[in-house]
Amino acid sequence: MGMEQAWVLPAIPAVLFVVIALFNGLMPRRGDFLAILGMATVVGLVFVILVEFQGAFQGGLFTPEGANAYAFDWINIGQGFFVIEFSTYVDAITMVMLPVVTIVALMVMVYSVGYMHGEVRYGWYFAVLSLFVAAMLTLVISGNLIQLYLAWEGVGLASYLLIGFYWERQSAAEAAKKAFITTRIGDVGLLIGIILLWRATGTFDIQEIISAATSGQIGDRYLTIAMLFLFGGAVGKSAQFPLHVWLPDAMEGPTPVSALIHAATMVVAGVYLVARFSPVYAEVLVARDVVLYTGLITAMMAASMGLVTTDIKRVLAYSTVSQLGFMFVALGVGAVGAAMFHLFTHAFFKALLFLGSGSVIHATHQQEVGALGGLRKKLPITTATFIIGSLALSGIPIFAGFFSKDEILHYVQADGGPVVYVLLAGTALLTAIYTTRLVLLTFFGEPKDHHAYDHAHESGPAMALPLIFLAVLATVAGFFVFDQVGEALGFAGGIGALVYIDHPHHFTQVDYAFAGIATLTALAGIGIGMAYWRGDARRAVQARAWAPDLHALLANRYYMDDLYQGIINRVILGAATVVAWFDKRIVNETGVDGGAQTISYLGYRLKFLQTGRIPNYALGMAVGVVALAIVAVGTRG
């Protein structure tokens, strides 16, 4: 088992999806053990592949000599005119994604044993989780764009099924539909981009397309348009402005689903796509600037909305949107290593936070922070691990988020300009503020709902152990930035020496002055959060009363949902009304029914010419002969 056999990774959960979906009613525990064992097997195989990946470096450079790729013709039309391959490709970007997807998926499945216990569709839940993992693994190992697009759509389908898991709730059904439709908008752009790239290069192979683009075989304007369309797919899937509106509503799904899909895996598919094509974006600076400013706007907007959101899962959802914005800003300044590093660390601490929120909801049956408080006494493990995840998200040393966020800010300061740096640093400040607010309102102070508090209890081992494991990763994963740590683990260096565009970036020591500024920013955010929301949160209440319009703007999500609903009601439905009228009156009643009715009427009138009298027929024949004679004479003349 090596990099060439990476196709085995998605094959295992794909088979398990079919087996569990069809036969879970005949299995013990509805087949949950089968899904977990299969996922544990995939995690083990990822580390087997990782060993071969480590050995593919010569002189610090990745030189697999073809052992990292596998392909065969899937569709071949016209003797090579139109060829679609099934192909896999493994490199450093793939090897960042594989542990993230598989480890988080395994932890979520174990956690779900406790969280989803007693659900009517328990077996179906684990089947769809396996389907999602299969689609996501196929996406990250795909060597061509058609295969990637099919997996991309498979991820969207599994997400739709899991968001709408509680389909009997109207809110869940609406959220699933909203996510599906919104992401489809971006997916249309992705498909157009794929077609444009195929038209220019004659291939769907990702590496061949990158080679053609970077060697100047595609015109600049054409390539810019293609890469902007490709980025449209990333905007939809990764919930970036202006298609960010679906992710907060997607919290209607079970909390473990939020941890897996909407924090660690599916939503980073867009980051992965742009990172995969980072050599091309480095050549197309206009498209790269669009990536940069889209990420910056998204990061700022989502962080500001997190300040006023009251649902514990929605706060984390806005945090996810904001952190994805950080990743796109990094990609926009060409720091693909920093973006993938933040993707790596963010997956662990954000999955930890979502699972921690699930532990709170499971214990109290409440997810409005206004009804929580004081839970540190009832949920000690959840409290401790949630605080670790919050410190990582806020960017406090020594936790993972500090190193990855610091890397992004460092690159932005060097290549993004002072305005972008200040705005992104301000967003990091807001991150620490809303994270502190969430911790204080949930775990500290006095209980607001005494009934929920009295019945609260710590989660069982199935839920607690994944929290502890992810808390450890959220603490230590950031050290992978150092070359010394990477080399000790058998790699050519730290994350910068593995993921890069032009040349490796070796990180051996901390820039203490820069790190000190980032740390002070995070501490300032925590201090502001404590000042406003500690105790009875009097200052926060006063601030809300002082600026009610600003609070309303943030609480109503900048009225983006209202804007889209207005467009749907007045423009789309209005246009649909006109089209429906045209279809009914012109096409159907006039064109189809009108033609049929005209022929019927003519048939009815002409039947009276059939009198059965010979003199009448003779007269008709004579008239016909005269008419033909007149035509013949007129034509000759």
Side-chain angles (χ1 to χ4, degrees):
M1 180 71 186
M3 290 186 284
E4 282 186 292
Q5 290 76 41
W7 58 269
V8 175
L9 300 179
I12 293 174
V15 171
L16 290 177
F17 160 69
V18 176
V19 172
I20 298 173
L22 295 178
F23 306 110
N24 70 85
L26 304 176
M27 298 178 184
R29 300 182 55 83
R30 296 282 179 174
D32 62 350
F33 69 95
L34 201 58
I36 294 172
L37 287 176
M39 200 67 251
T41 302
V42 172
V43 171
L45 293 177
V46 166
F47 282 95
V48 171
I49 294 174
L50 191 60
V51 171
E52 183 178 356
F53 173 77
Q54 290 171 327
F57 285 84
Q58 300 292 331
L61 299 177
F62 184 57
T63 55
E65 299 179 355
N68 65 325
Y70 171 77
F72 65 84
D73 283 357
W74 181 21
I75 299 173
N76 192 331
I77 300 175
Q79 297 181 342
F81 171 74
F82 184 82
V83 178
I84 298 177
E85 293 182 327
F86 175 88
S87 60
T88 65
Y89 184 82
V90 177
D91 64 352
I93 293 177
T94 310
M95 291 312 304
V96 172
M97 293 294 296
L98 288 179
V100 166
V101 174
T102 56
I103 292 174
V104 174
L106 178 60
M107 292 299 102
V108 165
M109 286 184 177
V110 173
Y111 181 93
S112 297
V113 172
Y115 189 88
M116 300 297 290
H117 177 71
E119 290 287 347
V120 176
R121 295 181 290 275
Y122 185 76
W124 173 246
Y125 170 82
F126 277 92
V128 181
L129 278 185
S130 298
L131 173 65
F132 171 81
V133 174
M136 192 68 203
L137 290 175
T138 302
L139 192 156
V140 300
I141 67 171
S142 292
N144 70 82
L145 285 174
I146 290 294
Q147 184 179 324
L148 182 146
Y149 184 77
L150 293 176
W152 189 277
E153 294 299 321
V155 167
L157 171 62
S159 174
Y160 169 79
L161 295 174
L162 289 168
I163 295 171
F165 181 76
Y166 299 115
W167 51 264
E168 61 273 9
R169 291 201 321 236
Q170 182 66 22
S171 58
E174 292 292 335
K177 183 172 67 175
K178 183 177 182 179
F180 193 80
I181 294 173
T182 306
T183 55
R184 290 294 79 70
I185 295 172
D187 294 353
V188 171
L190 173 60
L191 183 58
I192 293 172
I194 290 173
I195 294 172
L196 290 175
L197 291 173
W198 172 77
R199 182 173 176 271
T201 62
T203 181
F204 292 108
D205 186 273
I206 294 174
Q207 299 307 312
E208 291 181 12
I209 291 172
I210 292 174
S211 177
T214 54
S215 61
Q217 298 179 30
I218 307 176
D220 290 343
R221 181 177 298 177
Y222 187 97
L223 186 60
T224 299
I225 294 172
M227 299 315 292
L228 287 174
F229 274 116
L230 209 70
F231 179 60
V235 168
K237 196 70 77 181
S238 291
Q240 295 296 285
F241 174 85
L243 300 181
H244 63 282
V245 294
W246 68 268
L247 186 58
D249 289 349
M251 298 303 107
E252 290 290 340
T255 302
V257 170
S258 302
L260 175 63
I261 296 181
H262 307 126
T265 53
M266 171 184 151
V267 291
V268 299
V271 178
Y272 165 79
L273 179 66
V274 176
R276 172 61 71 202
F277 281 89
S278 54
V280 183
Y281 280 100
E283 300 291 326
V284 186
L285 297 183
V286 172
R288 203 173 80 171
D289 285 343
V290 172
V291 175
L292 167 63
Y293 292 111
T294 299
L296 182 63
I297 293 170
T298 305
M300 294 169 57
M301 286 184 62
S304 63
M305 288 185 281
L307 290 170
V308 300
T309 305
T310 58
D311 183 294
I312 186 172
K313 288 174 63 178
R314 286 178 182 263
V315 175
L316 297 176
Y318 283 121
S319 171
T320 299
V321 175
S322 181
Q323 296 306 302
L324 290 168
F326 271 81
M327 298 174 206
F328 279 109
V329 169
L331 292 169
V333 296
V336 60
M340 294 303 295
F341 184 38
H342 196 51
L343 182 156
F344 180 75
T345 61
H346 174 265
F348 298 130
F349 64 72
K350 187 53 65 65
L352 169 62
L353 289 170
F354 266 109
L355 294 184
S357 70
S359 183
V360 170
I361 296 168
H362 187 263
T364 63
H365 301 287
Q366 287 282 358
Q367 55 191 78
E368 287 290 324
V369 292
L372 300 173
L375 292 177
R376 70 186 186 281
K377 301 174 184 177
K378 291 294 192 78
L379 308 175
I381 296 176
T382 300
T383 302
T385 54
F386 198 95
I387 290 175
I388 289 173
S390 299
L391 292 173
L393 173 60
S394 299
I396 297 295
I398 56 170
F399 300 96
F402 163 75
F403 294 101
S404 57
K405 196 176 294 185
D406 189 71
E407 276 286 275
I408 292 176
L409 290 172
H410 185 82
Y411 276 101
V412 169
Q413 183 194 42
D415 302 320
V419 174
V420 176
Y421 170 74
V422 170
L423 292 175
L424 200 64
T427 304
L429 176 69
L430 292 179
T431 302
I433 294 174
Y434 69 68
T435 304
T436 303
R437 167 184 177 265
L438 182 62
V439 172
L440 291 175
L441 293 178
T442 304
F443 298 102
F444 293 88
E446 295 299 321
K448 286 89 170 177
D449 186 335
H450 287 278
H451 177 74
Y453 178 80
D454 292 338
H455 289 82
H457 56 84
E458 187 59 88
S459 303
M463 296 173 64
L465 290 177
L467 292 177
I468 295 171
F469 182 77
L470 289 171
V472 172
L473 291 178
T475 304
V476 304
F479 290 103
F480 191 53
V481 71
F482 293 103
D483 282 344
Q484 299 91 328
V485 175
E487 291 167 0
L489 294 174
F491 297 99
I495 187 73
L498 299 179
V499 184
Y500 53 87
I501 298 178
D502 297 320
H503 53 80
H505 170 65
H506 294 283
F507 191 98
T508 56
Q509 61 182 6
V510 177
D511 183 341
Y512 290 102
F514 190 87
I517 295 174
T519 303
L520 289 175
T521 300
L523 291 174
I526 293 175
I528 293 171
M530 293 184 67
Y532 274 81
W533 284 280
R534 184 176 54 188
D536 58 0
R538 183 177 67 258
R539 289 183 177 174
V541 174
Q542 292 173 346
R544 176 177 178 177
W546 175 71
D549 294 335
L550 177 60
H551 181 274
L553 178 67
L554 299 180
N556 287 285
R557 313 178 187 182
Y558 290 92
Y559 298 101
M560 290 289 293
D561 288 273
D562 297 319
L563 172 63
Y564 288 154
Q565 193 62 54
I567 292 173
I568 291 171
N569 293 341
R570 292 176 174 80
V571 179
I572 296 177
L573 292 181
T577 302
V578 174
V579 171
W581 178 88
F582 182 84
D583 178 68
K584 180 181 179 182
R585 300 296 184 186
I586 306 301
V587 176
N588 193 28
E589 295 182 357
T590 303
V592 179
D593 293 345
Q597 290 170 0
T598 300
I599 293 173
S600 177
Y601 175 77
L602 291 175
Y604 173 77
R605 301 305 302 174
L606 289 173
K607 75 178 183 179
F608 293 108
L609 297 177
Q610 303 299 320
T611 63
R613 296 179 180 179
I614 294 176
N616 291 348
Y617 296 155
L619 177 63
M621 293 170 61
V623 171
V625 169
V626 172
L628 289 173
I630 293 172
V631 170
V633 171
T635 303
R636 264 170 51 182

